[in-house]
């Protein structure tokens, strides 16, 4: 049976959500169900976190999602700033919400790169790669990294 | 034999719903509960009454699947003589109808309600259910002040014979429904847009400054005729207008889209509007040491004056922050006050 899998990329003020269906046939492309963004409400962050926690949990429950893949936090190459810490906070909230609703995996960028023997950023910019790997709804260019999580998860479950 | 399990006790009357009366009850398991009693009407013959009961039972079973923190939980349904009783979670904060009647709510309070309701509504829509009766009176506040949708799904198609005719209900019917196109996710979004408009403005402004919606929605162009309190920022107006767009293609398609739009709306500065009458609107904004006040005197349709000042909370002097130079017309007072609040 096909698996419903969601890739989540968390920024400091929003979450990119790529909802997909992974077919049983390993050679068949992944089907994109929807590609949306959840925005963190402005104002008090703690209230915003609560909103996104429930938004995430509800989405996964209502849509019967089997699996979630979240991109892990990584150590910055430059100086850490407030935005980075905000992202990490929100990422924790989203991981918690996802794990409370379904099986959740956290993938590091290096793991994704090793899966394809090339850098994630190369894959993200490669239109041919996406034409081969994905079908269905339209994927926004900015959401490719979130979709990459699902693709990498499928290749290395 | 002595009964161990106490029967549901009916305590005080809480109010009247669209389909019956609502009471506060005491249940052996759930404690305080709300009990909605739908009584048989004189015009219901035996066959019709059986049908109605069947429909309500089916709805109650349907509602079981809608358990959600932002939806009022229905615990059960039973029959008592010529009435049906729904037992539901009791929300001690009451409905937002009382808040609406009291006056305009702050931007922050309205946004919180909107987010809570949208999350609940998303859960309903995701289960292929519609609410079809979103209005302040059907949004209830629990003991923590969290908003929950109530009274949904109880409006079955067959019971909708009087759809659009009940007081307070017709105001929330989208233009396409007036035109006979039926309810949908988008008509729920429209009704929520209307609800937010009402909560931002309060009953006095809504009634005295706006045309009766039920009379004009069906003609189209309703959103252009809404009269806004000048402190309501442009981004709020834009989002509510989009929620209530006549053309359903121009309206938000999903609650997720509305949630994103609402999430980005500003909630500060947090002006309160303690006075709204036919001839005076007063705003207040408190800081630790001072109170900023704006007053708008409405002498007539075309005669308006406003002034703004800051007054100390302790000792000190008042400071003038602005005023109309003379008695001005409606458009000018709108422009000047909007500029002041910007």
């Amino acid at each position: 049976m096909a698996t419903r899998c969601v890739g989540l990329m968390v920024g400091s003020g929003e979450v990119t959500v790529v909802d997909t269906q992974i077919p049983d046939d390993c050679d068949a492309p992944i089907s994109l169900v929807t590609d949306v963004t959840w925005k963190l409400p402005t104002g008090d962050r703690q209230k915003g976190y609560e909103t996104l926690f429930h938004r995430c949990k509800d989405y996964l429950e209502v849509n019967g999602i089997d699996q979630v893949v979240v991109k892990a936090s990584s150590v910055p190459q430059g100086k850490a700033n407030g935005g980075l810490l905000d992202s990490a906070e929100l990422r924790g909230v989203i991981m918690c919400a996802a794990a409370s609703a379904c099986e959740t995996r956290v993938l590091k960028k290096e793991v994704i790169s090793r899966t394809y023997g090339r850098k994630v950023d190369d894959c993200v910019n490669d239109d041919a790669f996406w034409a081969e790997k994905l079908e269905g709804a339209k994927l926004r260019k900015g959401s490719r990294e979130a979709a990459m999580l699902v693709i990498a998860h499928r290749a290395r479950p | 034999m002595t009964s161990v399990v106490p029967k549901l006790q009916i305590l005080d009357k809480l109010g009247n719903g669209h389909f019956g009366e609502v009471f506060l009850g005491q249940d052996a398991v759930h404690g305080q509960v709300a009990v909605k009693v739908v009584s048989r009407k004189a015009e219901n013959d035996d066959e019709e009454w059986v049908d109605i009961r069947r429909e309500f039972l089916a709805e109650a079973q349907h509602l079981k699947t809608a358990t959600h923190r932002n939806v009022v939980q229905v615990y059960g349904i039973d029959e008592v003589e010529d009435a049906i009783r729904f037992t539901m979670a009791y929300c001690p904060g009451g409905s937002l109808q009382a808040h609406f009647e009291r006056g305009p709510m702050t931007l922050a309070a309205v946004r919180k309600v909107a987010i809570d309701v949208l999350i609940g509504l998303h859960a309903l829509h995701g289960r292929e259910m519609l609410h079809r009766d979103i209005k302040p009176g059907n949004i209830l506040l629990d003991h923590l002040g969290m908003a929950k949708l109530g009274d949904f799904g109880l409006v079955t198609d067959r019971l909708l014979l009087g759809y659009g005719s009940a007081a307070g209900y017709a105001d929330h019917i989208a233009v396409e429904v007036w035109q006979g196109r039926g309810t949908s996710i988008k008509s729920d979004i429209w009704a929520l847009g209307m609800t937010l408009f009402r909560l931002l403005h309060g009953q006095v402004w809504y009634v005295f400054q706006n045309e009766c919606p039920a009379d004009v929605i069906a003609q189209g162009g309703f959103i252009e005729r809404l009269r806004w309190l000048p402190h309501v920022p442009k981004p709020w107006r834009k989002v509510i207008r989009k929620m209530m767009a006549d053309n359903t293609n121009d309206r938000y398609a999903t609650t997720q889209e509305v949630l994103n739009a609402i999430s980005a709306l500003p909630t500060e500065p947090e002006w309160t509007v303690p006075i709204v009458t036919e001839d005076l609107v007063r705003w207040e904004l408190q800081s630790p040491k001072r109170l900023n006040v704006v007053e708008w005197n409405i002498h007539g349709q075309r005669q308006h004056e406003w002034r703004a000042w800051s007054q100390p909370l302790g000792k000190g002097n008042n400071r003038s922050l602005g005023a109309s130079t003379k008695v001005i017309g409606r458009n000018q007072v709108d422009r000047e006050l909007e500029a002041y609040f910007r």
Side-chain angles (χ1 to χ4, degrees):
Chain A
M1 213 174 89
T3 308
R4 190 84 177 262
C5 182
V6 168
L8 297 175
M9 277 282 300
V10 184
S12 62
E14 63 181 36
V15 183
T16 305
V17 185
V18 172
D19 184 354
T20 68
Q21 189 110 21
I22 304 177
D24 286 337
D25 177 0
C26 299
D27 297 326
I30 290 170
S31 177
L32 180 63
V33 178
T34 185
D35 167 18
V36 292
T37 301
W38 299 330
K39 291 203 185 293
L40 182 74
T42 53
D44 292 342
R45 286 187 74 85
Q46 70 276 20
K47 289 182 188 164
Y49 290 155
E50 191 209 5
T51 299
L52 275 194
F53 175 91
H54 289 290
R55 212 174 155 181
C56 176
K57 188 170 180 286
D58 273 12
Y59 183 88
L60 302 176
E61 285 175 350
V62 168
N63 292 294
I65 305 300
D66 302 303
Q67 202 144 35
V68 166
V69 192
V70 186
K71 192 180 162 202
S73 300
S74 56
V75 180
Q77 289 173 339
K79 218 175 175 185
N81 57 21
L84 192 89
L85 299 177
D86 286 344
S87 307
E89 278 180 2
L90 181 54
R91 193 169 296 114
V93 171
I94 292 298
M95 282 179 190
C96 175
S100 70
C102 64
E103 191 185 327
T104 301
R105 185 180 181 193
V106 179
L107 274 187
K108 288 192 171 175
K109 199 169 180 178
E110 305 88 83
V111 174
I112 307 170
S113 296
R114 277 204 299 275
T115 306
Y116 288 97
R118 62 194 280 205
K119 287 188 174 174
V120 171
D121 296 338
D122 288 346
C123 294
V124 164
N125 293 322
D126 182 354
D127 290 344
F129 176 87
W130 292 101
E132 180 198 336
K133 297 288 180 191
L134 214 59
E135 64 173 22
K138 196 172 184 307
L139 182 73
R140 295 170 297 176
K141 272 200 168 174
S143 303
R144 284 181 174 180
E145 209 170 339
M148 197 69 208
L149 292 165
V150 177
I151 293 169
H153 165 69
R154 183 197 201 188
R156 278 193 188 191
Chain B
M1 209 167 95
T2 312
S3 171
V4 175
V5 181
K7 284 185 179 167
L8 174 68
Q9 276 183 286
I10 299 294
L11 307 171
D12 302 328
K13 184 173 172 178
L14 295 172
N16 289 306
H18 187 55
F19 285 99
E21 296 170 300
V22 185
F23 297 89
L24 177 65
Q26 184 71 32
D27 178 78
V29 176
H30 298 290
Q32 285 193 321
V33 291
V35 184
K36 184 167 197 169
V37 181
V38 182
S39 300
R40 179 176 177 171
K41 292 187 177 128
E43 63 265 28
N44 299 140
D45 61 32
D46 287 348
E47 197 181 334
E48 195 178 19
W49 180 235
V50 169
D51 285 347
I52 288 171
R53 281 180 296 168
R54 276 205 194 104
E55 283 180 5
F56 274 112
L57 176 62
E59 281 297 337
Q61 288 165 339
H62 197 34
L63 293 177
K64 200 183 161 198
T65 64
T67 304
H68 190 275
R69 69 196 281 273
N70 295 113
V71 173
V72 176
Q73 177 74 47
V74 174
Y75 297 135
I77 181 171
D78 66 341
E79 287 182 62
V80 190
E81 294 169 4
D82 270 353
I84 303 160
R85 287 196 315 200
F86 283 94
T87 314
M88 300 174 283
Y90 171 58
C91 294
S95 86
L96 289 179
Q97 178 65 24
H99 291 256
F100 167 67
E101 288 168 9
R102 220 173 290 146
M105 289 169 66
T106 63
L107 299 176
V110 174
R111 195 179 74 162
K112 185 180 182 317
V113 165
I115 287 173
D116 287 345
V117 169
L118 281 161
I119 290 177
L121 198 54
H122 173 67
L124 290 187
H125 290 169
R127 292 174 175 106
E128 296 182 344
M129 299 167 84
L130 296 174
H131 188 287
R132 295 194 287 192
D133 194 14
I134 297 171
K135 59 183 181 183
N138 279 344
I139 299 171
L140 301 157
L141 299 177
D142 73 2
H143 63 292
L144 295 171
M146 186 169 65
K148 292 171 182 268
L149 276 167
D151 252 11
F152 69 101
L154 304 181
V155 194
T156 66
D157 284 328
R158 210 181 64 81
L159 290 168
L160 273 173
L161 295 175
Y163 194 63
S165 61
Y169 185 44
D171 288 10
H172 290 252
I173 295 176
V175 62
E176 72 273 14
V177 181
W178 282 108
Q179 292 163 354
R181 277 190 279 152
T183 51
S184 64
I185 286 175
K186 289 192 173 188
S187 60
D188 270 355
I189 289 173
W190 196 100
L192 179 59
M194 183 56 146
T195 301
L196 301 185
F197 179 83
R198 289 176 70 178
L199 296 177
L200 284 170
H201 292 83
Q203 187 173 38
V204 171
W205 181 274
Y206 179 71
V207 171
F208 286 110
Q209 295 289 337
N210 287 280
E211 297 165 275
C212 176
D215 295 341
V216 290
I217 294 170
Q219 297 164 22
F222 177 64
I223 46 173
E224 302 309 325
R225 299 159 87 141
L226 289 175
R227 283 207 143 150
W228 301 82
L229 275 168
H231 75 286
V232 178
K234 288 228 158 64
W236 275 85
R237 301 179 189 199
K238 196 175 164 193
V239 169
I240 291 175
R241 283 195 182 115
K242 191 166 177 183
M243 292 173 80
M244 298 172 71
D246 282 347
N247 184 340
T248 51
N249 294 327
D250 295 337
R251 209 177 294 163
Y252 295 106
T254 66
T255 51
Q256 294 283 313
E257 286 182 13
V258 188
L259 253 175
N260 276 347
I262 294 276
S263 294
L265 292 177
T267 55
E268 287 177 347
E270 201 162 355
W271 287 98
T272 58
V273 196
I275 300 173
V276 182
T277 64
E278 279 180 81
D279 47 22
L280 174 70
V281 184
R282 178 185 167 104
W283 289 264
E284 291 180 356
L285 179 66
Q286 197 169 325
S287 61
K289 292 186 175 170
R290 298 191 73 84
L291 182 70
N292 284 9
V293 181
V294 180
E295 281 192 355
W296 172 8
N297 287 287
I298 304 167
H299 303 304
Q301 278 289 337
R302 293 175 188 166
Q303 294 182 310
H304 304 262
E305 280 182 290
W306 69 274
R307 68 190 183 102
W309 71 93
S310 164
Q311 62 191 50
L313 292 175
K315 284 179 182 171
N317 299 321
N318 281 8
R319 277 186 234 139
S320 176
L321 300 174
S324 50
T325 50
K326 55 182 178 172
V327 175
I328 52 179
R330 178 60 194 244
N331 290 341
Q332 192 176 346
V333 76
D334 275 345
R335 270 198 311 275
E336 290 185 7
L337 282 170
E338 281 170 17
Y340 179 82
F341 285 112
R342 206 176 293 140

